[in-house]
């Protein structure tokens, strides 16, 4: 969303051509945002250059995920989906309908997200309360993500200290 808003059109040309290499699973947010702008004309060519495949955790990874993780850092909505898929397997609920899995939680972790799109994926999964989702509201990207992760870490430490 931020890239579509902030990418400047090329001065002196009628149409700014943009090649957008993306995941096959990426939403159309960037293309739609660029082509709907009124401050310049953008022609966007999307090139699906990779696909994301969820990791399947082994027994030790599953134990760590369910017992030792306080914060999960998500760089995309597909990462949220993959995390929850592994949580569902750990809880033995992977074959239940979505509405039944929504009450199961997320492994009791805080979510640190790279930006609003990924944070929305956490919220829309109904597996996190909004107060347990951290994301850079004004500075999306790596720096903002690191700051949000630091805030989540401080809150996780406080939660452990107070036993909550």
């Amino acid at each position: 969303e931020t890239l579509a808003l902030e990418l400047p059109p090329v001065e002196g040309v009628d149409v700014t051509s943009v090649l957008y290499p993306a995941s096959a699973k990426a939403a159309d947010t960037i293309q739609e945002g660029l082509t709907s702008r009124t401050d310049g004309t953008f022609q966007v060519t999307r090139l699906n250059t990779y696909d994301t495949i969820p990791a399947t955790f082994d027994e030790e990874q599953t134990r760590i995920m369910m017992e030792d993780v306080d914060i999960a850092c998500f760089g995309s909505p597909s990462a949220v989906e993959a995390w929850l898929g592994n949580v569902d397997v750990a809880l033995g609920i992977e074959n239940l309908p979505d509405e039944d899995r929504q009450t199961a939680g997320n492994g009791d972790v805080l979510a640190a997200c790279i930006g609003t799109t990924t944070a929305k994926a956490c919220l829309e999964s109904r597996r996190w309360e909004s107060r347990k989702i951290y994301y850079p509201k004004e500075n999306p990207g790596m720096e903002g993500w690191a700051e949000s992760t630091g805030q989540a870490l401080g809150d996780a430490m406080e939660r452990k200290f107070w036993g909550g």
Side-chain angles (χ1 to χ4, degrees), residues 1-4 18 20 27-36 44:
E1 292 175 359
T2 301
L3 176 62
V18 176
Y20 172 47
D28 294 332
T29 309
I30 292 177
Q31 298 104 280
E32 291 171 1
L34 286 171
T35 56
S36 67
V44 180

Side-chain angles (χ1 to χ4, degrees), residues 75-161:
S76 69
S78 60
V80 174
E81 185 179 314
W83 174 269
L84 292 175
N86 280 298
V87 168
D88 292 348
V89 169
L91 297 174
I93 61 169
E94 67 272 21
N95 296 320
L96 293 179
D98 285 346
E99 56 272 5
D100 293 338
R101 287 184 282 140
Q102 289 173 350
T103 61
N106 58 47
D108 196 32
V109 299
L110 303 176
C113 302
I114 195 167
T116 56
T117 303
T118 304
K120 285 179 188 174
C122 288
L123 189 60
E124 290 171 357
S125 75
R126 298 182 185 231
R127 308 278 292 264
W128 279 271
E129 298 172 32
S130 60
R131 65 186 178 85
K132 294 184 177 185
I133 302 170
Y134 298 78
Y135 65 99
K137 294 162 187 72
E138 296 181 17
N139 186 21
M142 294 303 288
E143 185 177 330
W145 189 13
E147 291 170 4
S148 295
T149 302
Q151 183 180 0
L153 179 59
D155 289 354
M157 291 172 63
E158 189 171 312
R159 184 167 78 163
K160 280 187 172 193
F161 178 80

Side-chain angles (χ1 to χ4, degrees), residues 34-96:
L34 286 171
T35 56
S36 67
R37 292 211 354 220
T38 58
D39 63 333
T41 302
F42 289 86
Q43 177 184 354
V44 180
T45 302
R46 178 180 173 142
L47 183 61
N48 290 336
T49 56
Y50 67 98
D51 198 358
T52 54
I53 300 170
T56 302
F57 292 173
D58 64 26
E59 193 172 306
E60 178 63 8
Q61 291 169 318
T62 299
R63 184 199 64 72
I64 290 169
M65 174 187 69
M66 297 303 289
E67 297 175 11
D68 297 337
V69 174
D70 297 311
I71 303 165
C73 298
F74 299 116
S76 69
S78 60
V80 174
E81 185 179 314
W83 174 269
L84 292 175
N86 280 298
V87 168
D88 292 348
V89 169
L91 297 174
I93 61 169
E94 67 272 21
N95 296 320
L96 293 179

